[in-house]
Amino acid sequence: MSAAQYPAVSVIMPVLNEERHLRNSVRHILEQEYAGEMEVVIALGPSADRTDEIAAELVAEDPRVHTVPNPTGRTPAALNAAIKASRHPVVVRVDGHGMLSPNYIATAVRLLEETGAQNVGGIMHAEGENAWEDAVAAAMTSKIGVGNAAFHTGGQAGPAETVYLGVFRREALERAEGYNVEFIRAQDWELNFRIREAGGLIWFSPELKVQYRPRPSVKALAKQYKDYGRWRHVVARYHSGSINLRYLAPPTAVVAIAAGLVLGAAVTPWALVVPGGYLAAIVAGSLPAGKGLPLKARAQIPVALATMHMCWGFGFLTSPRSLAKRVIASRRPSLADTSSSSSETV
């Protein structure tokens, strides 16, 4: 493919309180080894830190960078606003704490051409900047942490249910009418489900890698995974038949462990075998996951694993039917819609 044949690319970024990583994330985009034209559209939520100031500096420094407002602060509304403000035939989603590998866009464009896919994506390569984040990164890239999710653990290239972030053909986004703004979480999975339902191909490739910064505390990780579980249940109710056994493992574990603790305290200590077995399993699983990490990080991997499993399962189990009913009752918005009655934020 000659330089003139490379399609122009729009990179869209939903950001909220991203002062820590935004500049570095945009630098990884602007320094891409890509011969085609490129623009970066940052959708700015109501940040409480220096995110807006940093974004303004980036706009002043490089004419390829633009911003659009996202007053709701919600991820799907931000993405739709950025898509609407962008203009190129290939749309690359990047988060404000994601760092693209140097040839990410060039590889993704090639894969779109080779596979005929509507969306391609690769590995969410978690990397920490301290012992806790290193522990979370190890948990997120281990099969005991996330099952067989290829975009976390890697695997062979091929068709997929969903991919991390994604590089889309614009026509696929327009045909799907963008992201459903009711999905405060799980909006990627839900959009990819609709693209697949319409006959489109979602393609995973380990050639694509995005460096991801994990949540910086147990509390932040717990909220992240509780929200994941909550909204994955909404997807299951909204799209009948979209659930599989992997998604049922965390809620089953929560119920079994809770029952074991209650029965162990009230009936027989034998019931404690269940929570004890789970504890032993995550401790054993953390050993290979933490290979090569300092002792302080390795010691925190079981905490990260338990937080991810229990909070995802709890979120799934407590996801209110009223939330799913509201989503089901809502229309799928056009790209012109960037607001929602939902109350949660990114």
Side-chain angles (χ1 to χ4, degrees), residues 320-333:
R321 286 188 176 273
S322 60
L323 183 58
K325 287 179 180 177
R326 189 187 74 207
V327 171
I328 291 168
S330 71
R331 67 182 178 89
R332 289 198 180 104

Side-chain angles (χ1 to χ4, degrees), residues 183-268:
F183 281 90
I184 308 306
R185 292 284 188 267
Q187 67 274 157
D188 293 309
W189 203 102
E190 194 277 335
L191 172 61
N192 284 317
F193 182 88
R194 285 189 281 123
I195 291 174
R196 288 188 290 109
E197 285 286 283
L201 174 65
I202 310 299
W203 188 265
F204 166 81
S205 173
E207 292 183 78
L208 298 171
K209 184 181 290 186
V210 180
Q211 190 181 86
Y212 168 86
R213 297 302 186 200
R215 294 297 193 270
S217 67
V218 175
K219 182 179 178 181
L221 183 68
K223 184 182 186 306
Q224 178 187 21
Y225 273 79
K226 178 178 72 68
D227 288 347
Y228 282 170
R230 183 186 195 197
W231 283 94
R232 188 61 188 82
H233 203 165
V234 174
V235 173
R237 287 168 170 158
Y238 188 63
H239 293 298
S240 177
S242 65
I243 202 70
N244 63 41
L245 292 177
R246 179 166 68 89
Y247 296 114
L248 296 177
T252 300
V254 170
V255 171
I257 290 168
L261 290 172
V262 171
L263 292 174
V267 181
T268 171

Side-chain angles (χ1 to χ4, degrees), residues 88-99:
H88 294 321
V90 175
V91 179
V92 180
R93 176 183 170 177
V94 183
D95 286 341
H97 47 271
M99 314 295 164

Side-chain angles (χ1 to χ4, degrees), residues 30-297:
L30 298 177
E31 293 178 357
Q32 283 289 296
E33 298 169 1
Y34 186 67
E37 184 181 352
M38 185 194 307
E39 66 174 351
V40 181
V41 182
I42 304 172
L44 294 170
S47 296
D49 61 10
R50 294 183 58 253
T51 296
D52 286 10
E53 181 182 336
I54 293 168
E57 292 171 357
L58 292 167
V59 170
E61 292 165 8
D62 196 304
R64 293 173 291 176
V65 181
H66 315 280
T67 61
V68 292
N70 174 37
T72 69
R74 298 163 194 140
T75 301
L79 291 165
N80 283 350
I83 293 167
K84 183 173 181 289
S86 67
R87 55 197 173 90
H88 294 321
V90 175
V91 179
V92 180
R93 176 183 170 177
V94 183
D95 286 341
H97 47 271
M99 314 295 164
L100 300 184
S101 53
N103 62 348
Y104 180 90
I105 291 177
T107 302
V109 168
R110 172 176 60 79
L111 289 170
L112 285 173
E113 178 68 23
E114 291 177 353
T115 65
Q118 301 301 300
N119 180 22
V120 300
I123 294 175
M124 177 182 180
H125 184 63
E127 287 189 5
E129 295 182 323
N130 54 47
W132 166 250
E133 291 180 3
D134 284 341
V136 176
M140 292 179 70
T141 54
S142 69
K143 290 191 175 181
I144 193 174
V146 293
N148 62 350
F151 69 85
H152 281 297
T153 62
Q156 296 295 315
E161 286 186 347
T162 191
V163 290
Y164 180 53
L165 300 177
V167 177
F168 299 84
R169 298 178 188 270
R170 176 175 291 275
E171 61 262 31
L173 291 172
E174 292 176 345
R175 203 159 38 239
E177 297 187 290
Y179 290 83
N180 188 325
V181 294
E182 293 293 339
F183 281 90
I184 308 306
R185 292 284 188 267
Q187 67 274 157
D188 293 309
W189 203 102
E190 194 277 335
L191 172 61
N192 284 317
F193 182 88
R194 285 189 281 123
I195 291 174
R196 288 188 290 109
E197 285 286 283
L201 174 65
I202 310 299
W203 188 265
F204 166 81
S205 173
E207 292 183 78
L208 298 171
K209 184 181 290 186
V210 180
Q211 190 181 86
Y212 168 86
R213 297 302 186 200
R215 294 297 193 270
S217 67
V218 175
K219 182 179 178 181
L221 183 68
K223 184 182 186 306
Q224 178 187 21
Y225 273 79
K226 178 178 72 68
D227 288 347
Y228 282 170
R230 183 186 195 197
W231 283 94
R232 188 61 188 82
H233 203 165
V234 174
V235 173
R237 287 168 170 158
Y238 188 63
H239 293 298
S240 177
S242 65
I243 202 70
N244 63 41
L245 292 177
R246 179 166 68 89
Y247 296 114
L248 296 177
T252 300
V254 170
V255 171
I257 290 168
L261 290 172
V262 171
L263 292 174
V267 181
T268 171
W270 284 106
L272 296 174
V273 169
V274 175
Y278 171 77
L279 179 61
I282 62 171
V283 169
S286 71
L287 297 177
K291 187 177 181 180
L293 292 178
L295 179 60
K296 186 176 180 181

